[in-house]
Each structure stands twice: as structure tokens, then as C-alpha cells.
Amino acid sequence: MDDAGIEVFEANESSTCRRVTLRHLASRDQDEFLALVHASADLHHPWVSLPSTPEQYQAYLARYAQPDEESVLICARGSGAIAGVVNINSIIRGRFQSGSIAYAAFAPTAGKGYMTEGLTLVVRYAFEQLRLHRLEAQIQPGNHASLKLVRRVGFRHEGCSPELLYIDGAWRDHERWAITNTMIDITPTPPHPTLPER
């Protein structure tokens, strides 16, 4: 995808995701993204840390230009305003065909359902276009809004891992949630070419 902001994935006519579109993070988003990060500091702390300076943003952009990483913006249809971000991290191919997601809403539109619609589209994008089999989410037990979001989208709870990720200066326990392409109705796609035949 180029820097012009072409939509990554559109809702189909039967979809309930009609208020948002997706597109990849781009250089031109820097000012809006950083302003939203600053406006959302209280919402994000202590759950997530996003780039807050131009230098950090450029490093973030470079990271998500790698073939095993994706950063997708959830944008309000019509205005194009950024409502949230979903990252698909550590994409592993071969027999795994999996990625780990992280996401954040932004304060101006938080609580309006944009993240539910956007994450639903990201899941379909991951399964239909990236041809992944599985997405995982690791969520701190106290992050109730995030837990409700993955439940609404259809993720299943798979357990809890003590001291899984280093967040806000300490190793934090995380609940593990996942969804596979067999758990939702998606457009049939051929398997990714890196998937073995047997």
C-alpha cells in the first residue's frame, strides 16, 4: 500500500462495520497520531505505550514496514479521522500462520464502538488477505475494556501467563485470548504459500 491512504479493507454489504475503514499507518499520519497519543495519555496508561515524539513515530513506522509486522489505522468513514490503531506483531508463517495483536483506542472517539467495528475488520483482513490462521491477544487482567473488546469480537480465553510481558516498568501477568479463521465466517482463500502441504 502506498502513502496516499488507500483503504486496506472495506466492509461488505452484510457487514455491521459500516462506520469505519482501515488503512496502513503512513508518514503523513504523524501529526494527527502524536496529537491523539498525547490526548489519550490517561486512557492508555498503564496498559499501552505508543510513540509520543516525531523520532519515536519514525522508528514505529520503520518497524511496521517490515514483512512480519502490520500497523492498521481504524478511521471514521467520511472524515477519515483516526479512531484507533491495531498492530499485528510477530507474524510467523510455516506451520504456525499466526500473529499477535495489540491495539489502542484514542480518547476523542473512545467508547463509541469504533474499536469493535475496526478490530472485526482487522480480523477479517488478517484471515482473508494476510491468510493467517490465528491471531492472539495478551491482555492484563485489570484491563477490563480490552477484555470486553476481544470477547465482543469473538476471541476465546485460553489461559493466563504470569509475568508474560514487560509493561510500565514491570513483568505483568496477562490473559491469553485467540481467534482462528475457523471460528468466524470468512471468504474462502487459498492457504499462504509457506504453509506445508502436510
Side-chain angles (χ1 to χ4, degrees), residues 15 26 29 46 52 71 104 118 122 174 185 187:
S15 173
D29 297 309
S52 59
S71 186
V122 170
H174 281 71
D185 184 25
T187 302

Side-chain angles (χ1 to χ4, degrees), residues 122-135 179-182 184 186-187 189:
V122 170
V123 167
R124 290 185 54 220
Y125 167 70
F127 293 157
E128 295 179 10
Q129 294 191 23
L130 299 181
R131 293 186 278 176
L132 293 174
H133 169 68
R134 176 183 171 90
L135 290 174
I179 191 167
T180 66
N181 61 6
T182 59
I184 63 170
I186 62 168
T187 302
T189 57

Side-chain angles (χ1 to χ4, degrees), residues 36-93:
L36 288 167
V37 168
H38 288 288
S40 307
D42 291 341
L43 178 66
H44 293 165
H45 184 79
W47 316 117
V48 66
S49 178
L50 292 171
S52 59
T53 68
E55 296 77 18
Q56 290 173 355
Y57 183 85
Q58 290 304 312
Y60 190 75
L61 194 61
R63 172 185 174 180
Y64 287 102
Q66 301 304 308
D68 60 347
E69 307 280 340
E70 294 261 341
S71 186
V72 180
L73 297 175
I74 298 169
C75 300
R77 187 182 296 278
S79 72
I82 299 170
V85 60
V86 180
N87 297 325
I88 306 175
N89 302 308
S90 306
I91 295 171
I92 301 173
R93 294 297 186 174

Side-chain angles (χ1 to χ4, degrees), residues 16-17 115-125 152-153:
T16 58
C17 306
M115 287 302 294
T116 301
E117 292 187 22
L119 184 56
T120 298
L121 283 180
V122 170
V123 167
R124 290 185 54 220
Y125 167 70
R152 282 195 300 270
V153 174

